[in-house]
């Protein structure tokens, strides 16, 4: 990298307008402010001719990162949509992961986007039987290695009101919320967290399910003592569908919203979006005591080895106290995590106004927190009262405020505003994605990518492989921010020179990124889905559908020459958790008294 570019990188710190410092156990963490903004148009569609909404969680593939001679970063991002567009109920959208090529040129301010997204591909997810996975609300279960997985049985095609003699289908149900790449690369496979269970699913690089982790009973919803994974959001094909709300366990649509793997690759962390029903989750003002879980994934099956209480921030709206819902997390060490807590229904796409009150990226330290694993994990067991009073014998994680995402000075640098006109430059309501990429020419600085979930809100939407068109009454682009931050406890040892371990295929100005020493530090988001009351949905002829917008205008100019990347191979002790191949899986559901 030439001296001019190096100076430009280092100059970002000196030129930044709003440095924020946080001291945690003697270590200083800093944010140098917002250095990037970009968006994916709301009417973008994937290769299956369906509207994209990839902001529930976004993960940068560390093996893909390169830096041009002019300081532009190029990398692959895997974006996770949630269960699909809500109209008058959940729809039969097949679960998937979207792949994007991203070009990012760090700037302290810009009148145009400097995070450029280009759609590349889509991976449809399949269960252990090779069937696609549905976003429909769960109304039954299937069994896998003795564990119960949320599932749905529906008649017909799951998109239209079924006829009296329509056949039935049973599929696993998934409300996907967070993704984390194993070893920092999608080539190793990935984990996805789910709200219906709440559950944790493991997939190989092609999207085939290879493992599953059932939640502790305290987190699983029950009605009348029986497991019921429904979020009571109805099925599009059954308008009269309704169930009783769960009596304990996760609250509806507040399952595992955040998830990540520790930098050493040994532990999978996940966290409920807010408190369980028994811990105060029924009311916003009481649901601040949520549960953070830690699984050892070096053993088979994965073992729950840690559980901690995280007290979420609160804010006041119209004179009422509310709890900020955590929407994503990143694990920096076994003792420190980054969390994205935010308000709800405020901002672009929100139902309650344009003025956001609380959108943050904060730290939680587990260093002095009590590990309560196994102590409160039974059905209905409480860590707090239903009024949100934490048990006096439990020490929670320590909270440290860090980045205020609605700082008006920072937003103005990229032409974004909070409050006022409900236009395309208004900050979005739902921010649910976080990922990290090392800053070249530093040893402990990162760019923090934040992404929003637009809930499929567009006036030109398509579902069911393009056969159904809908209009949600508003166009909400998928917005993305990039912050420049310093994380001293996560050194990446990225200097300005090409690593000697990297083999150059040609003389080039492209600087390759070798795998960081903390390869999973930047590894691997959505909250409650609100039915769009103004939405309309219509069936169209697929032969006449010519909408193939893939954000073609947002392209990345290929480098004229390239340099081969070094590769870090990540190996897990076991691929599948099973005692023998003959007893690996079972698949059971009961419909009208008959076992299928």
């Amino acid at each position: 990298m030439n001296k001019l570019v190096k100076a430009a990188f280092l100059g970002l710190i000196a030129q930044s307008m709003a440095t924020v410092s946080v001291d945690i156990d003697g270590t200083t963490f800093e944010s140098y402010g917002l250095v990037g903004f970009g968006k994916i148009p709301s009417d973008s569609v994937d290769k299956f001719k369906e509207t994209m909404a990839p902001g529930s969680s976004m993960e940068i593939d560390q093996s893909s990162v390169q830096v041009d001679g002019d300081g532009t970063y190029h990398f692959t991002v895997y974006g996770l949509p949630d269960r699909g567009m809500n109209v008058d109920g959940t729809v039969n959208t097949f679960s998937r992961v979207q792949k994007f090529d991203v070009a990012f040129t760090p700037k302290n301010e810009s009148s145009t986007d400097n995070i450029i997204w280009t759609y590349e591909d889509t991976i449809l997810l399949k269960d252990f039987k090779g069937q696609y996975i549905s976003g429909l609300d769960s109304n039954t279960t299937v069994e896998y290695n003795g564990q119960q997985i949320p599932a749905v049985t529906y008649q017909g095609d799951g998109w239209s009101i079924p006829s009296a003699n329509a056949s039935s289908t049973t599929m696993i149900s998934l409300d996907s919320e967070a993704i984390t790449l194993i070893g920092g690369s999608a080539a190793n496979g990935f984990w996805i967290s789910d709200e219906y269970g709440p559950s944790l699913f493991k997939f190989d690089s092609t999207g085939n399910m290879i493992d599953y982790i059932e939640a502790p009973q305290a987190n699983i919803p029950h009605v009348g003592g029986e497991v019921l994974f429904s979020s009571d959001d109805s099925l599009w094909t059954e308008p009269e569908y309704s169930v009783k709300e769960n009596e304990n366990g996760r609250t509806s649509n507040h399952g595992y919203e955040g998830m990540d793997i520790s930098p050493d690759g040994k532990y999978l962390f996940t966290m409920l979006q807010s408190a369980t029903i028994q811990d105060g989750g029924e009311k916003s003002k009481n649901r601040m005591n949520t549960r953070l879980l830690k699984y050892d994934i070096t053993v088979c099956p994965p073992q729950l080895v840690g559980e901690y209480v995280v007290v979420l921030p609160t804010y006041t709206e119209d004179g009422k106290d509310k709890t900020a819902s955590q929407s994503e997390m990143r694990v920096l060490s076994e003792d420190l995590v980054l969390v994205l807590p935010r308000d709800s229904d405020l901002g672009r796409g929100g139902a309650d106004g344009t003025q956001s009150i609380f959108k943050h990226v904060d730290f939680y330290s587990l260093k002095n927190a009590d590990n309560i694993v196994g102590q409160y994990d039974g059905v209905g067991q409480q860590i707090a009262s239903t009024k949100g009073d934490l048990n006096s014998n439990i020490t929670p994680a320590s909270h440290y405020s860090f980045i205020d995402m609605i700082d008006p000075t920072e937003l103005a640098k990229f032409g974004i505003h909070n409050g006022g006109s409900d236009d395309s430059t208004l900050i979005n309501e739902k921010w649910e994605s976080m990922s990290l990429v090392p800053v070249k020419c530093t040893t402990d600085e990162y760019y923090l990518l934040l992404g929003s979930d637009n809930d499929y809100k567009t006036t030109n939407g398509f579902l069911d492989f393009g056969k159904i068109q809908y209009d949600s009454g508003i166009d909400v682009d998928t917005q993305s921010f990039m912050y420049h931050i310093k994380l001293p406890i996560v050194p990446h040892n990225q200097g300005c020179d090409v690593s000697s371990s990297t083999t150059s295929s040609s003389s080039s100005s492209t600087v390759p990124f070798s795998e960081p020493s903390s390869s999973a530090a930047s590894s691997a988001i959505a909250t409650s889905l609100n039915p769009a009351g103004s939405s309309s949905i219509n069936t169209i002829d697929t032969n006449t559908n010519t909408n193939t917008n893939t954000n073609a205008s947002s392209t990345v100019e290929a480098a004229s020459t390239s340099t081969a990347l070094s590769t870090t191979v990540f190996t897990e002790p076991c691929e599948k958790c099973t005692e023998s191949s003959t007893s690996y899986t079972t698949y059971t559901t009961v419909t009208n008294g008959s076992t299928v």
Side-chain angles (χ1 to χ4, degrees), residues 215-283:
Q217 287 296 308
N219 294 351
I220 293 176
H222 296 81
V223 175
E226 299 295 326
V227 173
L228 183 63
F229 289 121
S230 172
S231 58
D232 194 23
D233 281 305
S234 78
L235 309 184
W236 168 246
T237 56
E238 297 180 38
E240 303 304 318
Y241 167 89
S242 181
V243 297
K244 292 182 179 179
E245 293 187 8
N246 52 296
E247 299 161 355
N248 51 53
R250 60 99 181 109
T251 58
S252 292
N253 297 313
H254 279 226
Y256 288 153
E257 192 73 20
M259 177 189 63
D260 195 20
I261 296 174
S262 60
D264 58 12
K266 294 180 180 180
Y267 301 104
L268 180 68
F269 286 73
T270 189
M271 183 160 45
L272 291 171
Q273 185 171 11
S274 63
T276 63
I277 292 290
Q278 67 266 26
D279 296 327
E282 285 192 298
K283 293 184 178 181

Side-chain angles (χ1 to χ4, degrees), residues 176-469:
S176 48
E177 299 301 345
I179 183 171
T180 182
L181 307 182
I182 298 170
S185 173
N188 302 316
F190 46 88
W191 286 89
I192 286 179
S193 72
D194 156 68
E195 285 204 307
Y196 285 139
S199 317
L200 300 171
F201 291 81
K202 184 182 180 183
F203 296 90
D204 66 19
S205 61
T206 62
N208 294 303
M209 176 184 164
I210 54 176
D211 205 0
Y212 177 81
I213 302 177
E214 185 179 66
Q217 287 296 308
N219 294 351
I220 293 176
H222 296 81
V223 175
E226 299 295 326
V227 173
L228 183 63
F229 289 121
S230 172
S231 58
D232 194 23
D233 281 305
S234 78
L235 309 184
W236 168 246
T237 56
E238 297 180 38
E240 303 304 318
Y241 167 89
S242 181
V243 297
K244 292 182 179 179
E245 293 187 8
N246 52 296
E247 299 161 355
N248 51 53
R250 60 99 181 109
T251 58
S252 292
N253 297 313
H254 279 226
Y256 288 153
E257 192 73 20
M259 177 189 63
D260 195 20
I261 296 174
S262 60
D264 58 12
K266 294 180 180 180
Y267 301 104
L268 180 68
F269 286 73
T270 189
M271 183 160 45
L272 291 171
Q273 185 171 11
S274 63
T276 63
I277 292 290
Q278 67 266 26
D279 296 327
E282 285 192 298
K283 293 184 178 181
S284 178
K285 68 177 182 178
N286 300 333
R287 62 177 56 154
M288 69 288 293
N289 296 301
T290 192
R291 303 184 186 215
L292 171 64
L293 306 180
K294 174 185 177 184
Y295 286 92
D296 183 347
I297 53 175
T298 67
V299 297
C300 289
Q303 296 295 310
L304 180 62
V305 295
E307 184 173 355
Y308 308 90
V309 176
V310 169
V311 182
L312 297 172
T314 58
Y315 61 96
T316 302
E317 180 185 353
D318 296 331
K320 296 180 180 179
D321 293 334
K322 293 189 175 182
T323 298
S325 299
Q326 78 80 15
S327 294
E328 185 59 290
M329 63 177 292
R330 286 292 164 263
V331 179
L332 305 181
S333 74
E334 284 190 53
D335 293 327
L336 190 66
V337 297
L338 270 179
V339 176
L340 199 167
R342 60 167 180 83
D343 51 23
S344 298
D345 293 322
L346 297 172
R348 180 71 168 169
D352 294 343
T354 63
Q355 186 75 38
S356 296
I357 299 173
F358 190 94
K359 296 185 192 322
H360 266 224
V361 176
D362 291 346
F363 292 103
Y364 279 91
S365 172
L366 309 179
K367 186 174 182 180
N368 298 313
D370 289 334
N371 184 349
I372 59 171
V373 64
Q375 300 178 43
Y376 306 91
D377 292 339
V379 176
Q381 287 191 314
Q382 296 176 272
I383 59 171
S385 71
T386 55
K387 292 185 177 180
D389 298 320
L390 181 64
N391 291 358
S392 59
N393 60 333
I394 299 176
T395 300
S398 301
H399 173 233
Y400 299 86
S401 182
F402 189 39
I403 295 174
D404 179 3
M405 294 175 59
I406 57 176
D407 182 319
T409 301
E410 291 296 291
L411 294 179
K413 289 160 47 176
F414 291 87
I416 309 302
H417 66 96
N418 178 33
S421 301
D422 191 357
D423 54 34
S424 61
T425 60
L426 174 68
I427 185 172
N428 277 4
E429 176 220 350
K430 288 187 174 182
W431 289 84
E432 302 185 333
S433 302
M434 278 201 300
S435 192
L436 291 162
V437 60
V439 176
K440 199 67 176 176
C441 297
T442 73
T443 59
D444 58 4
E445 293 174 23
Y446 291 82
Y447 291 121
L448 173 66
L449 174 68
L450 302 179
S452 63
D453 175 20
N454 72 345
D455 268 352
Y456 297 85
K457 290 177 180 176
T458 176
T459 58
N460 187 33
F462 295 88
L463 302 170
D464 192 20
F465 299 95
K467 291 181 288 188
I468 296 175
Q469 186 173 14

